[in-house]
Amino acid sequence: MRTGRGLAVAAALFALGSAVSAAVQTRVVEYKQGDTTLQGFMAWDDAAKGRRPGVLVVHEWWGHNDHARNSATRLAQAGYVGFALDLFGKGKVTTHPKDAEAFVAEATRDPAVLVARYNAALEQLKRDPHVDPEKIAAIGYCFGGGVVLKMARAGADLDAVVSIHGVLATKSPAEKGRVKARVLVLTGADDPMVPNEQVETFKSEMTAAGAKFEVISYPHAKHGFTNPNADKAGMDGLAYNEEADKKSWAAVLDLFQQVFR
């Protein structure tokens, strides 16, 4: 009898877990900016009712890969609509640093093109029927972290931006009163690409600009600490850190709970 009851409970839990998992839906979104075809990834909880906040996910310098798509899916599980955008062009994804460097160079050669590609993705997100277009945030990883901070510095109309192991240096510091979004920076204390001097300069910049911001530094974390494949890149400064990954995601969700109340 106990065995039968245990199997019944296990089956019920499995069914419940499957139902919860099945509620998150995803779709590939092909869109264009100028003559460039881009490919994004939308994720939402189909069981949720009504419109909800939308969150753009800006990928690392590797391009639109599983790491970015997984982030969009996790956002959907948390009650948001996640859209992992594409800033390089359909199919431009790599695991090789030299290719990644070339992708970034091409995408940033004309700053206007980068902004246009970001805005093209933003429009895709806002048009999704599950999204409340008045409640939008953006998170970015590494290269993407620099992109979302660029948008915040330029006065983008966003509720929040989160830079996760992103570069903080800029040639165009925020002007006083320009930053509208809440800004959260999650960085690794042992990240050689974002040394402490860069972090302190960023804090001074945000303070002078009158921005509402927070910086959290994770001990022993290097660049790319949220990407499980970071260690495979063959670069000493990159490494996955499970503790920093979990804590940083909790910080992201905590911020969104605050701004989207």
Side-chain angles (χ1 to χ4, degrees):
M1 292 295 290
R2 289 181 179 176
T3 301
R5 187 180 297 113
L7 289 174
V9 172
L13 289 174
F14 177 79
L16 178 61
S18 298
V20 172
S21 177
V24 173
Q25 303 293 314
T26 64
R27 64 185 174 94
V28 173
V29 181
E30 192 168 292
Y31 58 108
K32 299 194 76 172
Q33 181 278 312
D35 295 327
T36 303
T37 299
L38 305 161
Q39 184 170 287
F41 178 87
M42 195 84 70
W44 69 98
D45 184 346
D46 206 38
K49 304 298 182 182
R51 293 176 178 262
R52 67 220 72 158
V55 183
L56 285 175
V57 179
V58 189
H59 54 74
E60 301 169 283
W61 72 338
W62 309 117
H64 178 89
N65 58 10
D66 285 342
H67 180 260
R69 291 189 289 271
N70 289 341
S71 182
T73 300
R74 292 169 77 188
L75 285 164
Q77 292 168 341
Y80 307 102
V81 176
F83 184 53
L85 55 67
D86 175 13
L87 289 179
F88 294 163
K90 183 180 178 181
K92 287 190 174 182
V93 60
T94 186
T95 58
H96 302 290
K98 286 187 178 180
D99 291 337
E101 188 175 6
F103 289 163
V104 170
E106 187 277 330
T108 59
R109 185 176 297 116
D110 183 347
V113 170
L114 182 72
V115 172
R117 290 180 181 179
Y118 170 90
N119 285 333
L122 180 61
E123 287 307 307
Q124 291 293 323
L125 178 63
K126 286 185 173 182
R127 286 205 298 263
D128 187 276
H130 306 95
V131 173
D132 180 347
E134 299 301 317
K135 296 182 177 181
I136 302 293
I139 66 177
Y141 297 88
C142 300
F143 161 73
V147 171
V148 299
L149 289 178
K150 174 183 176 68
M151 298 304 163
R153 286 172 168 126
D157 187 15
L158 296 167
D159 291 283
V161 300
V162 185
S163 171
I164 307 173
H165 44 79
V167 174
L168 306 180
T170 181
K171 294 180 180 178
S172 303
E175 297 175 4
K176 187 173 180 59
R178 191 77 183 272
V179 180
K180 299 176 183 177
R182 281 275 298 273
V183 177
L184 175 62
V185 166
L186 306 172
T187 190
D190 292 347
D191 186 344
M193 301 180 192
V194 189
N196 188 60
E197 310 88 79
Q198 193 176 120
V199 174
E200 293 304 315
T201 297
F202 174 80
K203 289 179 180 179
S204 297
E205 176 199 354
M206 290 292 109
T207 299
K212 191 170 184 179
F213 75 100
E214 181 180 10
V215 176
I216 301 176
S217 182
Y218 297 103
H220 314 299
K222 295 184 178 182
H223 201 71
F225 60 77
T226 65
N227 191 333
N229 293 317
D231 303 78
K232 300 176 183 178
M235 299 176 66
D236 291 338
L238 273 65
Y240 177 66
N241 185 303
E242 183 177 8
E243 182 178 5
D245 183 15
K246 290 180 178 179
K247 288 184 175 180
S248 62
W249 188 251
V252 170
L253 297 185
D254 181 61
L255 173 65
F256 289 169
Q257 287 176 353
Q258 293 177 44
V259 300
F260 292 133
R261 277 187 290 192

